């Protein structure tokens, strides 16, 4: 299927690895000109070089922390107008809310709620004026099914979800859709690190921790990053103009409810 977005311009955050990289990869393969962003320069440069071998779309990169005002300013010094924005930032650490002070909460909200909102604010009016735009926020399946111990992520990402639900209804008539992707467990380096930490706490091997998780998973496997990347690319396509304000769960059927 031709997604009809060759030559469009996209900003993809957290794109040096994992799910952000997979989204950039899928877009580049469709001929989209992509600006990728991540905090650490060396892996970002390596990711950009790999992406340049992937397809017709051009690739630029900016080492910046999108959770800060200065980091976002660096992005818009390179390019101001985008047809697509994929927001993505790592989740805050787990823990007991009794140990979180106001500063910890503010950092989580800045990273996982306010930073995406600021990126949307900086780009959505231009999209509306041009009559086409796609904004995709990578959040978490915890928004749909909150996880005990991930209260910072549950709270901040749910705040973004509520904000998007209202805004998306005001932009779609001008050709701009805003949707959220809610990934469950995907086979990324971050997930491997989480299992290593879990194994250390429980006194077992990482392999044992992974096997225990997969035994309870309906699909008996973790998601592949390209599965989420290709879903993101479709949401950015000309064919997805009637998908708007949605929270699209990609978890292999782990969510136990009906809706």
């Amino acid at each position: 299927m031709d997604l009809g977005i060759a030559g469009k311009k996209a900003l993809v955050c957290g794109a040096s690895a994992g799910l952000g990289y997979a989204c950039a990869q899928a877009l580049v393969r469709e001929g989209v000109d992509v600006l990728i962003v991540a905090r650490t320069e060396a892996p970002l440069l390596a990711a950009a070089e790999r992406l340049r071998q992937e397809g017709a779309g051009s690739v630029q990169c900016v080492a910046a922390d999108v959770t800060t005002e200065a980091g976002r300013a660096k992005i818009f010094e390179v390019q101001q107008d985008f047809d697509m924005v994929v927001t993505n930032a790592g989740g805050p650490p787990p823990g007991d809310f009794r140990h979180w002070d106001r500063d910890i909460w503010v950092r989580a909200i800045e990273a996982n709620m306010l930073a995406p909102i600021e990126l949307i604010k900086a780009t959505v009016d231009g999209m509306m004026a041009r009559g086409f735009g796609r904004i995709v926020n990578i959040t978490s399946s915890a928004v749909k099914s909150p996880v005990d111990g991930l209260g910072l992520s549950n709270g901040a990402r749910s705040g973004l979800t509520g904000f998007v639900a209202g805004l998306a209804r005001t932009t779609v008539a001008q050709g701009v859709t805003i949707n959220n992707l809610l990934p469950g467990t995907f086979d990324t380096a971050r997930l491997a690190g989480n299992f290593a930490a879990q194994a250390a706490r429980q006194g077992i091997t990482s392999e044992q921790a992974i096997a225990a998780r997969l035994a309870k998973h309906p699909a008996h496997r973790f998601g592949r990053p390209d599965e989420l990347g290709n879903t993101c690319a479709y949401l950015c396509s000309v064919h997805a103009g009637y998908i708007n304000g949605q929270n699209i769960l990609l978890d292999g059927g782990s969510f136990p409810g009906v809706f």
Side-chain angles (χ1 to χ4, degrees):
M1 178 186 292
D2 180 0
L3 298 187
I5 50 178
K8 299 287 189 184
K9 294 178 173 58
L11 169 64
V12 184
C13 302
S16 62
L19 301 180
Y21 179 87
C23 291
Q25 182 182 52
L27 291 171
V28 167
R29 287 175 174 173
E30 292 296 326
V32 176
D33 298 326
V34 175
L35 175 61
I36 62 171
V37 180
R39 287 176 294 181
T40 308
E41 187 171 46
L44 180 66
L45 291 171
E49 189 56 37
R50 293 195 305 274
L51 287 170
R52 292 186 182 109
Q53 314 305 315
E54 289 284 350
S58 67
V59 181
Q60 298 184 80
C61 61
V62 177
D65 183 352
V66 299
T67 69
T68 68
E69 184 176 352
R72 293 188 292 273
K74 286 181 67 175
I75 295 170
F76 295 112
E77 286 173 3
V78 174
Q79 186 171 320
Q80 293 186 341
D81 295 326
F82 295 95
D83 303 298
M84 308 157 197
V85 173
V86 180
T87 75
N88 177 38
D96 186 330
F97 81 97
R98 297 170 183 83
H99 302 150
W100 299 331
D101 60 20
R102 186 178 186 278
D103 287 342
I104 292 173
W105 273 107
V106 168
R107 286 197 295 272
I109 292 168
E110 285 180 341
N112 295 123
M113 179 181 173
L114 297 183
I117 291 173
E118 289 295 329
L119 290 172
I120 294 169
K121 182 170 72 173
T123 57
V124 71
D125 288 338
M127 293 178 181
M128 293 170 69
R130 293 187 296 274
F132 179 89
R134 301 287 186 262
I135 297 170
V136 179
N137 304 297
I138 301 177
T139 63
S140 170
S141 60
V143 172
K144 181 81 170 177
S145 183
V147 179
D148 184 33
L150 296 182
L152 292 170
S153 180
N154 296 340
R157 296 189 193 278
S158 294
L160 175 63
T161 302
F163 170 80
V164 165
L167 179 63
R169 275 72 183 179
T170 71
T171 64
V172 67
Q174 285 73 43
V176 180
T177 65
I178 311 176
N179 294 288
N180 304 316
L181 288 178
L182 282 57
T185 47
F186 275 75
D187 189 8
T188 62
R190 179 179 175 84
L191 182 66
N194 290 344
F195 276 118
Q198 175 188 338
R201 291 193 304 269
Q202 297 179 349
I204 59 177
T205 67
S206 293
E207 291 74 15
Q208 289 171 320
I210 291 169
R213 181 67 167 271
L214 289 178
K216 299 177 181 178
H217 197 295
H220 299 303
R221 70 173 179 89
F222 299 133
R224 300 190 313 272
D226 68 281
E227 292 176 306
L228 183 136
N230 289 329
T231 303
C232 178
Y234 180 77
L235 289 176
C236 290
S237 78
V238 297
H239 309 297
Y242 213 54
I243 303 174
N244 183 52
Q246 300 303 304
N247 296 289
I248 299 171
L249 187 63
L250 293 90
D251 70 348
S254 294
F255 178 67
V258 177
F259 302 109

